[in-house]
């Protein structure tokens, strides 16, 4: 079918089923995607032939770069032609073989140029500028024999094939590493997954075990960074810094509605006392706060700076509650309507841990009723659809998130508590140390920062 497309018309969107192959007759098309360079297709060019037969999600967005005439061949039509014509079928297979060989040769040439001989190749997903800068700097200073393929796109089944030829994948909190993705990574030759974060609840550990893929994480990149940010949120909410900043931008210098309270003498409850909770306790002691804590495994090393109580006692006594527990089946939605009912009237809730620990619908109701005086959230359940990306021109379909963002007594940040130069350096060093151990022959629970649950 011949089609005339005006400049700017979208023929296919990345991620949507590719149902047609396009042949440019006149004009030009533009292919663009976050993980590849923009390609310009002129008259005679063909695109879409690899995906349209199976109707897989399109890898790129294709749009008319100018007024363009294209020939569109639908997948159903072409499949029927292949069935009816053995000659066409054979010719098409030969053509595909030729194209694949050409692409493989070109890809090998590029890899040889980019990756020095003997270096371990790392497919680095969801890469941000600060990630690449930190990892490249640490790799150079520490003389790690690694080379990076920085991929802007988050890891999922649509882009897992980009790990082909890499032994190591470096992933982050919002990457998808479910059973299907792990199988694809195994087929690509991946033997080690490095989580450049402390959490690993997004990784199918059983699938990794079945495919003999080791998994490591960064257990303590900088507890100071996260603890300091948690206290920052406490102070900002208590002293209404966010409201004052917005007012002054409009030259409104009134102080009405900006009354806070002294931190000195107030009770702060730490829900979890791991490394981050321990740091938070020390900081809060410096303010002169009374620090209480709840943990299923109390830490005797910090008994001098806090008092352990039950969860119910913590809820009832705390002016501020700060969450520092990992996300586990037992902690999902542990801060819910029942917990809010037990809290002090007007208490402030801080969460710099993991979003699903809090039931945000229940939180919204507690805020609206006045039971909770404020919330500082650096994490959010469902954050992977929004966090780390610019969504300022997008429709936000999460009603709870929209209402929380618009609440005057809520501060939401984009999972940035970890983001200091010190933490980034520590993350890179820990991750690359895991690679060094792996290349020395260690795997599984032999690795220092292994996620050992999968091997026991």
């Amino acid at each position: 079918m011949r089609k005339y497309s005006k400049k700017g018309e979208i023929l296919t969107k990345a991620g949507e089923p590719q149902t047609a192959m396009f042949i440019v007759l006149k004009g030009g098309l533009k292919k663009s995607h976050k993980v590849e360079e923009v390609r310009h297709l002129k008259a005679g060019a063909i695109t879409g032939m690899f995906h349209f037969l199976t109707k897989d999600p399109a890898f790129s967005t294709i749009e008319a770069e100018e007024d363009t005439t294209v020939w569109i061949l639908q997948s159903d039509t072409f499949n029927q032609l292949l069935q009816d014509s053995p000659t066409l079928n054979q010719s098409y297979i030969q053509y595909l073989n030729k194209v694949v060989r050409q692409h493989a040769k070109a890809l090998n040439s590029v890899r040889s140029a980019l990756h020095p001989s003997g270096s371990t190749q790392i497919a680095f997903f969801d890469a941000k500028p600060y990630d690449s800068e930190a990892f490249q700097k640490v790799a150079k200073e520490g003389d790690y024999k690694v080379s990076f393929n920085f991929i802007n796109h988050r890891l999922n089944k649509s882009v897992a094939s980009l790990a082909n030829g890499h032994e190591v994948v470096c992933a982050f909190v919002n990457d998808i590493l479910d059973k299907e993705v792990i199988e694809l990574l195994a087929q690509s030759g991946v033997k080690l997954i490095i989580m450049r974060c402390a959490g690993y609840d997004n990784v199918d550990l059983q699938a990794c075990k079945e495919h003999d893929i080791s998994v490591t994480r960064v257990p303590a990149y900088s507890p100071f960074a996260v603890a300091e940010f948690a206290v920052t949120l406490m102070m900002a909410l208590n002293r209404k810094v966010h409201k004052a900043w917005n007012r002054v931008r409009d030259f409104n210098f009134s102080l009405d509605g900006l009354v806070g309270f002294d931190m000195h003498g107030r009770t702060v409850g730490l829900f979890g006392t791991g490394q981050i909770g321990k740091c938070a306790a020390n900081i809060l002691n410096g303010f002169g706060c009374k620090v209480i804590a709840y943990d299923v495994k109390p830490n005797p090393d910090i008994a001098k700076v806090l008092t352990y109580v039950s969860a119910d006692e913590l809820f009832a006594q705390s002016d501020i509650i700060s969450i520092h527990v990992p996300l586990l089946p037992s902690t999902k939605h542990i801060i819910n309507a029942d917990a809010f009912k037990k809290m002090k009237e007007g208490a402030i809730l801080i969460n710099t841990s993991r979003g699903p620990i809090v039931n945000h619908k229940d939180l919204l109701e507690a805020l609206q009723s006045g039971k909770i005086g404020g919330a500082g959230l650096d994490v959010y359940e469902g954050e992977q659809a929004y966090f780390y990306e610019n969504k300022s021109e997008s429709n936000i379909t999460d009603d709870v998130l929209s209402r929380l963002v618009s609440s005057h007594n809520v501060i939401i940040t984009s999972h940035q508590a970890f983001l200091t130069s010190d933490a980034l350096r520590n993350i890179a060093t820990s991750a690359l140390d895991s690679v060094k151990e792996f290349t020395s022959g260690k795997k599984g629970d032999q690795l220092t920062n292994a996620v050992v649950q999968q091997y026991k």
Side-chain angles (χ1 to χ4, degrees):
M1 177 182 71
R2 184 187 295 263
K3 176 178 173 59
Y4 173 76
S5 299
K6 290 186 176 181
K7 181 179 179 180
E9 180 180 343
I10 304 294
L11 281 73
T12 297
K13 285 187 178 181
E16 294 183 353
Q18 176 95 38
T19 60
M21 177 172 67
F22 304 99
I23 303 173
V24 183
L25 301 179
K26 183 181 179 181
L29 300 177
K30 179 173 72 174
K31 293 181 65 175
S32 58
H33 195 275
K34 290 171 66 176
V35 298
E36 64 176 13
E37 297 291 332
V38 173
R39 292 182 57 200
H40 304 276
L41 308 175
K42 297 301 182 182
I46 303 174
T47 185
M49 68 173 65
F50 288 106
H51 287 78
F52 90 118
L53 284 179
T54 56
K55 300 181 182 179
D56 286 341
F59 193 65
S60 305
T61 294
I62 302 173
E63 66 177 288
E65 197 165 27
E66 54 187 291
D67 290 348
T68 302
T69 303
V70 296
W71 183 268
I72 301 177
L73 184 58
Q74 297 292 336
S75 59
D76 292 341
T77 302
F78 192 67
N79 273 317
Q80 189 61 49
L81 287 172
L82 289 177
Q83 292 177 23
D84 295 342
S85 174
T87 302
L88 176 61
N89 201 336
Q90 184 176 3
S91 299
Y92 184 65
I93 291 173
Q94 290 174 348
Y95 176 74
L96 288 180
N97 283 334
K98 179 181 177 181
V99 171
V100 169
R101 285 197 301 272
Q102 289 174 342
H103 278 273
K105 184 177 180 180
L107 185 60
N108 287 333
S109 298
V110 171
R111 282 180 175 159
S112 297
L114 291 176
H115 304 298
S117 178
S119 67
T120 301
Q121 298 178 25
I122 303 174
F124 197 110
F125 285 91
D126 199 13
K128 298 293 186 287
Y130 47 81
D131 289 318
S132 56
E133 181 180 346
F135 271 77
Q136 287 176 317
K137 183 177 181 180
V138 169
K140 182 178 180 180
E141 292 176 350
D143 194 29
Y144 293 94
K145 291 180 172 55
V146 297
S147 55
F148 302 99
N149 178 14
F150 291 108
I151 302 165
N152 296 335
H153 202 283
R154 290 176 182 171
L155 177 57
N156 57 51
K157 66 179 182 180
S158 297
V159 298
S161 60
L162 294 176
N164 188 38
H166 300 77
E167 271 193 296
V168 181
V169 158
C170 187
F172 199 45
V173 292
N174 289 327
D175 289 314
I176 297 174
L177 294 106
D178 57 16
K179 182 177 181 179
E180 185 175 5
V181 170
I182 297 300
E183 289 175 352
L184 292 171
L185 294 180
Q187 292 169 13
S188 296
V190 173
K191 292 297 182 183
L192 173 66
I193 295 172
I194 303 169
M195 298 302 298
R196 57 183 188 277
C197 52
Y200 51 88
D201 53 277
N202 54 331
V203 184
D204 189 325
L205 299 176
Q206 183 59 37
C208 290
K209 181 178 180 181
E210 291 172 1
H211 292 284
D212 196 28
I213 296 177
S214 300
V215 182
T216 64
R217 65 184 185 117
V218 181
Y221 40 85
S222 177
F224 305 103
V226 181
E228 289 167 7
F229 196 82
V231 176
T232 298
L233 289 175
M234 295 179 199
M235 296 299 296
L237 276 166
N238 170 29
R239 301 304 301 270
K240 316 295 192 294
V241 174
H242 58 304
K243 295 174 72 174
W245 182 78
N246 274 320
R247 284 186 187 183
V248 172
R249 291 187 70 199
D250 293 328
F251 294 94
N252 177 356
F253 297 97
S254 69
L255 300 182
D256 293 341
L258 301 183
V259 178
F261 56 77
D262 289 0
M263 292 289 287
H264 182 86
R266 299 288 172 167
T267 300
V268 181
L270 301 179
F271 201 76
T273 54
Q275 291 296 319
I276 296 170
K278 178 181 177 180
C279 289
N282 287 322
I283 295 170
L284 292 164
N285 266 275
F287 280 101
C289 296
K290 176 185 177 182
V291 184
I292 60 176
Y294 167 76
D295 200 305
V296 292
K297 294 181 179 179
N299 184 351
D301 295 338
I302 56 174
K304 292 181 180 180
V305 296
L306 56 78
T307 301
Y308 279 104
V309 297
S310 69
D312 286 352
E313 288 174 318
L314 182 142
F315 294 149
Q317 298 175 26
S318 300
D319 298 296
I320 301 172
I321 296 172
S322 190
I323 300 170
H324 301 290
V325 294
L327 177 59
L328 302 167
S330 59
T331 60
K332 183 175 181 180
H333 289 179
I334 196 170
I335 306 299
N336 53 29
D338 289 338
F340 291 127
K341 290 176 183 176
K342 298 171 184 176
M343 292 182 188
K344 248 186 178 182
E345 198 79 16
I348 292 174
L349 179 71
I350 305 295
N351 188 10
T352 54
S353 183
R354 299 305 292 271
I357 293 170
V358 176
N359 184 315
H360 291 94
K361 289 183 179 179
D362 292 350
L363 171 61
L364 188 60
E365 291 179 6
L367 287 163
Q368 291 173 334
S369 70
K371 179 65 177 179
I372 298 300
L377 309 175
D378 187 52
V379 289
Y380 177 76
E381 185 171 16
E383 68 180 55
Q384 54 268 36
Y386 302 101
F387 283 19
Y388 301 119
E389 306 296 338
N390 181 1
K391 298 292 184 179
S392 58
E393 296 183 4
S394 303
N395 291 324
I396 305 302
T397 58
D398 188 325
D399 183 58
V400 173
L401 177 60
S402 295
R403 292 164 71 184
L404 286 171
V405 168
S406 63
S407 297
H408 69 91
N409 54 348
V410 175
I411 296 177
I412 296 182
T413 51
S414 186
H415 207 144
Q416 70 177 76
F418 77 97
L419 194 60
T420 67
S421 58
D422 308 87
L424 289 171
R425 182 176 62 251
N426 293 338
I427 289 169
T429 300
S430 178
L432 294 179
D433 282 345
S434 291
V435 176
K436 182 180 286 187
E437 288 184 337
F438 174 75
T439 56
S440 72
K442 294 182 179 180
K443 69 174 188 176
D445 56 6
Q446 297 172 338
L447 297 164
T448 301
N449 292 323
V451 180
V452 296
Q453 283 86 339
Q454 62 175 307
Y455 305 106
K456 292 185 177 179

